[in-house]
Amino acid sequence: MRTFLIILAISFASFAKAQEANDIEHIEKSTTFAIGQTNRLDTYLSPEKYKGSDFRFISDIYRIRLDRWNLNFTHEGAIDYTHNRADNANTLAGHYDFAFSMLKAIKHRYDYGINAGFMTDLYTGFAYNMRNTANNPAQGYASLSVGGAMKAYYNLNIGNKALKISYEARLPLVGIMFSPAYGQSYYELFNNGNYDNNIVMTSVAVPQYRHQLSVDYPIGKKTCIRVGYLGDYRQSKPNHLKQHTYTNAFLIGFVVRK
């Protein structure tokens, strides 16, 4: 745990130093909305899988810098409403996710490019099962992870329009997360102070993956409409509990390049 935190601190120190550089080639800012379907499981709340609708707001800033590491900041807020197979219980959930990536150009040409590096991800959220009025009705989520990241693009000319096809992915490798123990209530944890291995390690042994495929269509000199697909697959097995949130969503929004 201590080694992990030291590595994370070094990563953020490197980021702070990188921010001082002023050799930014250009900045790409995108604001998108995602609407899709989610499959949710949390055995702390229920052994049943819940399925329903997912809505997300995503703000992304990509600083592309000449001959240096490119910096990517992503803020995401989401809410989902799901129901069980019998349709007699519902879960309301939400999260905030902040991801920071440092990417280096592996291949860079006018018509295509590939960038790869590492990322850190901070995730917080909640889930409230409307059927569990007294017995474990809610669950809180908090995790911090580091891993790999990549971005690739291809410029496609159709008539007098230059479309940009982009693919990006994040793969957490190791991290820490909060989780109650099996059968442990939040009252025991926070009121009585009964700690029971509530901060646990995560690793690629239980893989998580997030990726996005999008197309930018120009509507102005520096503005594009973005449409695409988002897949976000989070899962964990802390303290003899199982959790997953599998989301597939349609993306639409705007991109401004400076």
Side-chain angles (χ1 to χ4, degrees), residues 147-180:
M150 64 87 66
K151 279 179 176 282
Y153 68 88
Y154 179 77
N155 293 322
L156 179 65
N157 294 316
I158 299 179
N160 61 345
K161 295 291 184 180
L163 277 64
K164 183 179 181 180
I165 303 172
S166 301
Y167 180 79
E168 56 187 82
R170 300 202 304 261
L171 177 64
L173 298 177
V174 65
I176 54 175
M177 70 173 292
F178 162 80
S179 174

Side-chain angles (χ1 to χ4, degrees), residues 188-226:
E188 290 178 81
L189 176 59
F190 293 109
N191 245 41
N192 299 340
N194 295 336
Y195 175 81
D196 189 7
N197 193 37
N198 299 120
I199 304 297
V200 298
M201 295 291 296
T202 60
S203 74
V204 74
V206 183
Q208 302 183 62
Y209 188 63
R210 177 191 173 98
H211 65 145
Q212 176 180 311
L213 178 65
S214 60
V215 178
D216 296 345
Y217 182 85
I219 57 173
K221 188 175 180 181
K222 296 183 178 180
T223 306
C224 298
I225 292 178
R226 172 169 289 180

Side-chain angles (χ1 to χ4, degrees), residues 107-142:
K107 193 75 174 179
H108 179 68
R109 294 172 55 106
Y110 171 77
D111 53 345
Y112 73 91
I114 301 173
N115 301 270
F118 69 91
M119 67 88 186
T120 61
D121 183 90
L122 174 65
Y123 181 92
T124 61
F126 74 94
Y128 175 69
N129 189 300
M130 299 178 181
R131 193 177 186 181
N132 298 356
T133 53
N135 184 30
N136 297 341
Q139 168 76 300
Y141 303 108

Side-chain angles (χ1 to χ4, degrees), residues 68-70 103-108 114-116:
R68 295 180 68 89
W69 289 87
N70 301 329
L103 306 168
K104 189 73 171 178
I106 297 175
K107 193 75 174 179
H108 179 68
I114 301 173
N115 301 270

